[in-house]
Amino acid sequence: MIFIFGIIRYTNSAKMEEGDQMKTNAETLKTATFAGGCFWCVESDFGSVEGVVEVVSGYTGGTSENADYEAVTGGKTGHLEAVQVIYDPSVIGYTELLDIFWKHIDPTDPGGQFVDRGSQYRTAVFYHGDEQKRMAETSKSQLNASGRFSKPVATEIFPLDKFYPAEAYHQNFHKKSPVRYKLYRYNSGRDQFLKKVWEKPVEKAETTQNRIYSKPSEEEIKNRLTPLQYKVTQKEGTEPPFDNAYWNNKQSGIYVDIVSGEPLFSSLDKFDSGTGWPSFTKPLEPDNIVEKNDNSLFMVRTEVRSRLGDSHLGHVFSDGPPPTGLRYCMNSAALRFVPEQDLEKEGYGVYSILFD
């Protein structure tokens, strides 16, 4: 297999059916791009992960049309040393790759990684599409809220533009020159730092709900949400009935806050209220729900908001079906649906048991 500029190419097969199978396999693979300092180390770390098919060292994030090792290390191009991770999403998800990435870098250092200083050794996530962007931003917010670091996460998140594979002698360097690589890695201080940080107990780390999820900055919220999502969650707006994403959604899964990601409702408690908005008999996580008196529109209602994201979600009424008699009437624009089959890879695996 040969990897060229983000495209996977396969050598000719002697048998047509083998070639067809290889093409099919290639079409199911996905790509993730990370910058974590020296690409020798990042390539080695990802190369040992189950589900990762190939890792390519290279350069990205700069402004020049070409990039090579001499120009990049000289700070002339603005590129970062990075790796592209080719993976099988049926084996490992993007969220899991992000977790691995964080645990192999110092995400709080904006000036480089360990002994390697300079802009080319900064850390960054380069996303391939909106879904990776959302997952990367959520993962970064969770890390910031985890209490693991005393300083804020400095790792930046960018859209991927061009990726330039590094010179051949840099590829699989840890295998080609194992002695030199091990010596470099030890002297870099990378593993010593990671052991100290990730073996350190975090106070109240087991109380996950109020530490993993958090409200992003106002700027990040504006950039992430659509105008309707922003109007509903931040300005107490209401979307039109029967013309929204989830009013008639019958899939199994959970609904989370579009802003913070905190789990809110389950499809198991969803019912057809005839109102044209998604309705539930009860919250999935009552602690993630806040109810407030709403005296607007010349009536008394009970507003429902998310606790950590502080998003306006909708209202709750006492005309619902058994067993609660409640109708949590929510705005689809305030929610994100996570299908049952995606719970594990998106970090909500604890709720899989609900659908067994």
Side-chain angles (χ1 to χ4, degrees), residues 36 38-50 52 55 83 85 97 100-101 103-105 114 174 181 185 190-191 194:
C38 172
F39 48 31
W40 292 348
C41 297
V42 185
E43 179 185 341
S44 173
D45 291 335
F46 275 111
S48 61
V49 174
E50 184 179 2
V52 171
V55 187
V83 300
V85 179
L97 293 176
I100 293 168
F101 173 65
K103 292 180 180 180
H104 286 88
I105 64 170
F114 313 108
H174 62 290
Y181 169 73
R185 180 149 186 153
R190 180 183 291 256
D191 290 330
L194 298 176

Side-chain angles (χ1 to χ4, degrees), residues 195-238:
K195 181 179 180 180
K196 178 181 177 181
V197 169
W198 291 103
E199 289 186 1
K200 177 184 70 176
V202 178
E203 184 180 1
K204 297 182 180 180
E206 69 278 5
T207 57
T208 59
Q209 295 302 328
N210 66 337
R211 299 188 66 84
I212 291 180
Y213 309 104
S214 63
K215 184 177 182 178
S217 67
E218 176 67 11
E219 180 180 0
E220 187 175 348
I221 291 174
K222 285 185 176 179
N223 290 335
R224 184 194 302 177
L225 301 186
T226 66
L228 178 60
Q229 290 170 340
Y230 185 85
K231 178 183 178 182
V232 168
T233 61
Q234 308 303 304
K235 302 297 181 182
E236 291 74 51
T238 302

